Amino acid sequence: MSGAEGEPRTGLKDRLTDGLYGLGWGAVKKLPEPAARVLFRTLADQVWKRRGKSVLRLESNLARVVPDASPARLAALSKAGMRSYMRYWMESFRLPTWSPERIRAGIDVADVHRLTEGLDAGRGVILALPHLGNWDLAGAWVTTDLKVPFTTVAERLKPESLYDRFVAYREGLGMEVLPHTGGSAFGTLARRLRDGGLVCLVADRDLSASGVEVQFFGDTARMPAGPALLAQQTGALLLPVTLRYDATPVMKARIHPAVEVPESGTRTEKTSVMTQALADAFATGIAEHPEDWHMLQRLWLADLEPRGEQS
């Protein structure tokens, strides 16, 4: 079957998806913030009650993070997780209208000296984050409070118009956005770092076939090699970052100690050690606040083996 006027179903779905995101950025930012919070919490609860594929996947992932959790505890965690995920979207739709003062007030960053000292030394810095909290808000804080531009990489989304929306949104927050595919991103990132610049990468889920296997909450997962390789090739400082929400409107961030390049070993061996260190830092933040880890896709190799999942 096809959509309106013979359009293939996938084409209609893409148009609807793009339209919904456009509606979000156009309408949600006009709501009073208390009303937006109530709306998105209600939406989160409705999505959670339907127990769709994304909710079940989130719950399955959380079961690895909290292996001794009872079914009731897992259900409560996944419900809180969907509320956290929808808080991310509510904030993201509204971020373009936030004043510099509102952005600064929206996040509290611990150990920021690790970032500023690295930048002041002209060394170049890589911030590597998992899908915790609101990484877009963290990026907006960097460009607003620190007044430091940075470069990041975005997964190519379908439809292309939706990808373009995300690029325009993040560029509007002061970020330079490179496409994940195409082969030129790594070289551009390396040049920015050699010039003493800042690169920010969400790095807890591999989007290629060249990821590094790590031990993550007791089982094997694959994470991107890019952060470790960039640090080795450019001498940049590699800093893990974790984010979390609490009952207040202020997101909390922590900049962890740098992941050092091992003194010995092959490039592959060094990359493996460094990526494992990143995974360990990510796991610390995720274990403390599992409900704020927005991992609604398959991650562990054991979950990927029965059938691949594109998302």
Side-chain angles (χ1 to χ4, degrees), residues 97-276:
T97 67
W98 283 13
S99 67
E101 293 73 23
R102 177 67 180 87
I103 291 172
R104 293 187 189 102
I107 182 169
D108 179 25
V109 184
D111 299 316
V112 69
H113 68 277
R114 291 177 172 138
L115 169 58
T116 55
E117 289 171 1
L119 292 171
D120 289 344
R123 185 178 174 182
V125 177
I126 306 159
L127 296 181
L129 307 87
H131 285 81
L132 269 173
N134 189 336
W135 45 96
D136 286 330
L137 173 56
W141 173 83
V142 168
T143 59
T144 301
D145 192 58
L146 299 185
K147 295 182 170 56
V148 175
F150 68 88
T151 305
T152 189
V153 175
E155 179 183 1
R156 278 206 174 275
L157 302 171
K158 292 182 179 180
E160 189 75 13
S161 56
L162 179 57
Y163 171 76
D164 292 340
R165 283 187 190 274
F166 271 94
V167 170
Y169 156 65
R170 290 184 169 128
E171 287 179 342
L173 298 175
M175 312 175 193
E176 178 188 24
V177 183
L178 306 176
H180 181 268
T181 56
S184 63
F186 188 90
T188 302
L189 295 173
R191 286 193 296 274
R192 300 291 183 268
L193 292 168
R194 291 191 182 101
D195 290 339
L198 177 63
V199 164
C200 299
L201 300 170
V202 180
D204 57 344
R205 179 169 174 256
D206 181 53
L207 295 173
S208 70
S210 58
V212 178
E213 291 189 5
V214 296
Q215 288 301 300
F216 197 55
F217 290 105
D219 209 342
T220 304
R222 189 181 291 120
M223 293 187 181
L229 288 172
L230 284 167
Q232 291 175 62
Q233 292 194 19
T234 68
L237 195 66
L238 176 55
L239 297 173
V241 179
T242 54
L243 311 170
R244 66 177 177 87
Y245 289 131
D246 57 20
T248 74
V250 181
M251 183 176 71
K252 308 302 188 293
R254 178 188 172 197
I255 301 176
H256 295 252
V259 173
E260 302 292 346
V261 178
E263 295 182 359
S264 62
T266 65
R267 184 175 72 168
T268 298
E269 290 168 343
K270 291 178 180 180
T271 301
S272 178
V273 170
M274 295 174 72
T275 306
Q276 182 64 60

Side-chain angles (χ1 to χ4, degrees), residues 15-30:
R15 287 179 59 195
L16 288 172
T17 300
D18 181 51
L20 286 172
Y21 279 99
L23 179 64
W25 272 300
V28 175
K29 65 186 180 183
K30 298 177 182 178

